[in-house]
Amino acid sequence: MDRRSFFKTSMMGAGALAMASGPLGLVTGCAAPAPAKSQTPLHLSFQVGTALGETLKEKMDYMESLGIEGFEPGGQYLLEHFDEIANELKNRDIKLSAICAGFGGFILAEDEQKQVFDTSMREIIEAAGKLGSTGVIMVPAFNRQEPCKPHTQATRDYLCEQLHELGEFALKCGTTVILEPLNRREAFYLRLVSDAAAICRDSQSKGVKCMGDFWHMQEESSDYAAFMSAGTEYLQHVHIASRGNRKMPGEDGALDNYVDGMRALKEMGYDKYISFECGSVGDRAVTTPAAVELLRAQWEQA
Ligand code: MG
């Protein structure tokens, strides 16, 4: 091919490309518009220990004073204070967010702990559903839990089958089960939000969801990608703490940057809660409202 015919062929190629890009551009233009990121509101939630106050009423009053919209008790606390919680949630702008575990045994146990898990988990799911919780948080297996099924393909298949049953049960109760990935020191079995989301998908139940915990997400190479990999289809809850020592957000200074993850949550139109799961080094009366302010500022920035 001489220089002239090459030029001609190239121009034809460019023309074909230009024609192709027209209709393709139109197709892209017809796709559903991205959610209005700036309009995604931030919903914060506290665990029982986060809120100042002795009684549940005092804790709820304190949460309301800070504009906190979600409450995340542990499973045992939920069962023991069921009526009190139900009463306190009346006439308040606070709802039950997730329930933080509280069951006995574990789902991948090779002994009678599996039966303990099945019974106690279902009891908590029923209570959670009655009060409109977004779901009950669970970890398939902590490193310390023995005897545990081996980390094999057969075990993963078993986990998905068991989760399917549990998810369908949770749906009937009006709630979900939420898989929480942890860091490798605590639970090597499930460390990444994307892996949890894939297990949700393969469990084939809309009652099986997952979450991300900014503290454990030290395992992730990208907060943004982690949340995006789950999307609104699977992401049902988020935990937050300072990123160096798991204290109040802000207590680890510049390390406590959540903007990248928050950007994903805003872009996907995440409408569930970001819930505090942390201690505090300083005076809680000072560090708690400061943390709320920090998260609101970062959400704005994201
Ligand atoms: Mg957590």
Side-chain angles (χ1 to χ4, degrees), residues 76-94:
Q76 284 308 309
Y77 187 96
L78 172 69
L79 296 177
E80 288 162 15
H81 298 81
F82 185 88
D83 293 337
E84 192 187 354
I85 295 172
N87 260 327
E88 279 303 329
L89 289 176
K90 280 180 198 159
N91 308 316
R92 287 190 193 264
D93 291 328
I94 300 173

Side-chain angles (χ1 to χ4, degrees), residues 180 213 216 239 246 277:
E180 180 171 18
D213 179 323
H216 294 290
H239 275 161
R246 208 179 192 180
E277 187 183 53

Side-chain angles (χ1 to χ4, degrees), residues 13-302:
L17 262 178
M19 281 175 71
S21 69
L24 276 176
L26 281 176
V27 169
T28 307
C30 289
K37 186 178 149 213
S38 61
Q39 286 170 16
T40 307
L42 171 64
H43 302 294
L44 292 175
S45 162
F46 278 1
Q47 289 189 342
V48 179
T50 314
L52 271 72
E54 290 302 315
T55 65
L56 184 60
K57 181 183 183 310
E58 285 170 3
K59 286 175 181 292
M60 292 273 183
D61 287 345
Y62 180 73
M63 286 164 60
E64 241 174 12
S65 75
L66 290 177
I68 303 302
E69 299 167 84
F71 178 58
E72 180 189 325
Q76 284 308 309
Y77 187 96
L78 172 69
L79 296 177
E80 288 162 15
H81 298 81
F82 185 88
D83 293 337
E84 192 187 354
I85 295 172
N87 260 327
E88 279 303 329
L89 289 176
K90 280 180 198 159
N91 308 316
R92 287 190 193 264
D93 291 328
I94 300 173
K95 292 187 167 59
L96 211 53
S97 60
I99 306 301
C100 194
F103 45 83
F106 63 113
I107 197 168
L108 292 181
E110 280 198 308
D111 60 5
E112 67 281 356
Q113 293 178 85
K114 170 62 165 58
Q115 189 55 52
V116 173
F117 169 81
D118 284 340
T119 309
S120 58
M121 180 61 165
R122 279 168 171 76
E123 191 184 1
I124 294 169
I125 289 173
E126 281 182 334
K130 281 178 190 161
L131 294 187
S133 163
T134 55
V136 182
I137 298 168
M138 62 174 282
V139 173
F142 283 88
N143 292 344
R144 59 182 158 74
Q145 288 180 308
E146 294 281 348
C148 180
K149 288 187 177 294
H151 200 344
T152 60
Q153 178 65 47
T155 296
R156 190 185 187 279
D157 294 344
Y158 170 83
L159 177 63
C160 289
E161 286 163 21
Q162 292 296 309
L163 283 172
H164 176 83
E165 283 181 26
L166 205 56
E168 292 299 295
F169 176 78
L171 279 182
K172 278 183 198 141
C173 296
T175 188
T176 69
V177 291
I178 304 174
L179 292 173
E180 180 171 18
L182 305 184
N183 68 67
R184 65 189 64 205
R185 295 182 303 281
E186 293 183 50
F188 204 87
Y189 195 90
L190 184 59
R191 299 179 295 107
L192 301 173
V193 175
S194 57
D195 196 16
I199 293 172
C200 296
R201 179 199 61 202
D202 296 342
S203 296
Q204 295 179 36
S205 167
K206 290 193 187 309
V208 181
K209 303 286 186 184
C210 70
M211 61 175 287
D213 179 323
F214 275 105
W215 161 251
H216 294 290
M217 283 166 67
Q218 56 193 264
E219 292 286 333
E220 307 282 352
S221 54
S222 160
D223 294 340
Y224 180 89
F227 285 138
M228 275 297 180
S229 71
T232 49
E233 187 173 359
Y234 302 119
L235 192 73
Q236 189 80 350
H237 197 59
V238 173
H239 275 161
I240 202 159
S242 75
R243 309 197 83 171
N245 297 296
R246 208 179 192 180
K247 300 301 178 190
M248 203 59 80
E251 288 196 314
D252 285 325
L255 275 181
D256 296 344
N257 188 327
Y258 311 96
V259 174
D260 191 48
M262 285 178 169
R263 188 164 56 87
L265 299 175
K266 285 175 76 171
E267 284 182 13
M268 71 170 78
Y270 176 73
D271 62 358
K272 305 295 189 302
Y273 299 90
I274 297 182
S275 194
F276 284 61
E277 187 183 53
C278 57
S280 181
V281 183
D283 177 2
R284 280 176 174 278
V286 177
T287 60
T288 311
V292 169
E293 199 177 321
L294 175 79
L295 298 188
R296 286 190 176 135
Q298 291 198 5
W299 186 263
E300 210 40 52
Q301 192 191 331

